[in-house]
Amino acid sequence: MKISLRQRLSYRQAKYTLVIVVLLGLIASSVQIAFDWRRESSSLSQRVDEFVKPLESSALQAAYELDEVLALRVVEGLNQIEPLYSVVLQDELGHVIAERSRSPETVFGEDLVAWLGERSRQFHFPLVLSNGVKVGDLRVSVDTVVLYRDFFDRSWRLLVFGVLRNILMGIILLGLYYVMVTKPLIQL
């Protein structure tokens, strides 16, 4: 008596196993992505600090001396950094010494970032002399989508390869169930 493939025990076991393995894989990948997102979000300020800190002393000098040429060089230099799309250098009274801005890039994932949090963030760096006197402020607006680009790449690869791995595992289990369970039962 010939049993159709869909009626075989090995097929049903492999089908249920494949569904369970794929679901567990997606859940595990989602948890890993959530932890990675949390880590990326918490390191955002640190990454912006790494962009700004090298030019902070020049910004401090430009604000202290009200040097518009130096201030413009600082602002233009910071505005060349891809995630920083708006930079403003102000004196201690809030008057703008130099300012540069451009439109944030339109990139894949911006809707997702807007849904998960902020599309852009503003950071404020007070410019304070060593004796504690505030001489100005440096304000930067950051395109978070650009900073999260690596996160999106990692997440996409994790999901795609995780599903492919689980499907391959299901196919291997189908073969094992057939060889170890169904074939010996048929031979009885």
Side-chain angles (χ1 to χ4, degrees):
M1 171 157 98
K2 181 119 174 142
I3 300 173
S4 70
L5 175 66
R6 293 182 184 250
Q7 297 298 321
R8 292 181 182 176
L9 178 62
S10 62
Y11 176 81
R12 283 189 265 154
Q13 287 176 328
K15 180 175 73 172
Y16 294 128
T17 303
L18 179 62
V19 168
I20 291 170
V21 165
V22 169
L23 286 176
L24 288 175
L26 285 174
I27 290 169
S29 295
S30 298
V31 168
Q32 187 175 355
I33 289 170
F35 281 120
D36 195 20
W37 172 257
R38 187 176 203 149
R39 186 178 51 84
E40 284 288 324
S41 295
S42 66
S43 71
L44 183 65
S45 297
Q46 179 184 356
R47 292 174 69 188
V48 172
D49 280 346
E50 290 172 1
F51 295 138
V52 173
K53 288 299 178 191
L55 293 175
E56 194 171 27
S57 64
S58 297
L60 178 68
Q61 181 182 354
Y64 180 70
E65 297 174 1
L66 299 175
D67 185 346
E68 291 180 9
V69 174
L70 179 58
L72 189 60
R73 274 193 271 157
V74 168
V75 167
E76 286 177 345
L78 286 171
N79 196 243
Q80 295 300 313
I81 299 171
E82 187 180 17
L84 307 182
Y85 68 90
S86 177
V87 182
V88 178
L89 181 60
Q90 299 173 319
D91 64 14
E92 72 276 6
L93 301 175
H95 299 107
V96 175
I97 302 171
E99 176 178 20
R100 283 288 180 264
S101 63
R102 56 184 159 72
S103 298
E105 290 184 31
T106 303
V107 293
F108 171 75
E110 65 184 281
D111 293 332
L112 180 61
V113 170
W115 181 73
L116 289 172
E118 300 171 323
R119 167 67 166 96
S120 67
R121 283 187 53 190
Q122 285 69 40
F123 290 86
H124 171 250
F125 297 91
L127 302 172
V128 181
L129 295 172
S130 58
N131 62 5
V133 176
K134 181 179 175 183
V135 295
D137 292 301
L138 181 62
R139 298 179 185 277
V140 296
S141 297
V142 178
D143 185 1
T144 56
V145 176
V146 174
L147 288 175
Y148 293 143
R149 189 179 293 148
D150 291 339
F151 165 77
F152 289 129
D153 290 343
R154 282 191 313 271
S155 299
W156 180 248
R157 282 192 306 268
L158 179 68
L159 285 174
V160 168
F161 289 117
V163 168
L164 290 176
R165 177 192 66 228
N166 292 337
I167 289 172
L168 180 63
M169 191 180 339
I171 292 169
I172 291 170
L173 285 173
L174 175 63
L176 285 174
Y177 285 142
Y178 178 76
V179 170
M180 297 176 75
V181 176
T182 305
K183 193 173 182 179
L185 289 175
I186 290 173
Q187 292 175 350
L188 289 177

